[in-house]
Amino acid sequence: MKKVYLLLTFLGLVLNLTTMMPQSLEGNILLWGKPEITTELAFANEISSIFMYDLFFVVLVFSIWLLVDGKKLGVKRPWLTIIWTMIFGLAVSFPYYLYQREIAKNKDVTE
């Protein structure tokens, strides 16, 4: 599964970077360059607002889970995954954390 998670991390990165490219070319690099435009577009209407609030909640739950789970399994630097989430999104950070988790689980088995 490690290879699958690593592949999914790469695919998530490619997906995010290619879909963010138009904004990045206008100076809104990784959607952080112009936060006022990012916020305005993310909450442009009721439907997009619903998705954004849902995403914020999922990111919060994921962050709490990975810190607790990472400590329990001995994952190296689980907080780094939260930073990846803020920069690249869950499409990159979630499979990356699952990859890190598999590495930590396999260390337990081999030791």
Side-chain angles (χ1 to χ4, degrees):
M1 285 305 291
K2 284 192 308 188
K3 290 180 182 179
V4 172
Y5 292 142
L6 203 54
L7 175 66
L8 290 171
T9 300
F10 177 73
L11 290 174
L13 182 63
V14 169
L15 173 74
N16 278 353
L17 291 179
T18 56
T19 57
M20 283 188 239
M21 192 58 64
Q23 285 290 318
S24 293
L25 292 173
E26 293 178 13
N28 196 8
I29 299 168
L30 294 175
L31 304 179
W32 287 96
K34 297 180 179 175
E36 65 284 351
I37 292 174
T38 301
T39 304
E40 180 183 330
L41 293 174
F43 292 95
N45 59 53
E46 187 177 354
I47 298 298
S48 64
S49 295
I50 291 168
F51 280 106
M52 288 306 299
Y53 288 127
D54 187 60
L55 177 62
F56 289 150
F57 188 75
V58 169
V59 167
L60 175 66
V61 171
F62 173 64
S63 298
I64 292 168
W65 173 73
L66 80 86
L67 290 173
V68 172
D69 186 67
K71 186 173 183 177
K72 182 170 52 173
L73 293 178
V75 173
K76 291 184 180 179
R77 298 178 296 279
W79 53 266
L80 186 59
T81 305
I82 296 172
I83 294 171
W84 279 52
T85 302
M86 297 305 146
I87 296 172
F88 298 109
L90 281 172
V92 176
S93 64
F94 186 54
Y96 174 75
Y97 178 73
L98 293 176
Y99 171 74
Q100 291 292 98
R101 191 174 192 270
E102 286 295 313
I103 290 172
K105 283 174 32 180
N106 288 338
K107 281 185 181 176
D108 272 352
V109 172
T110 57
E111 291 179 356

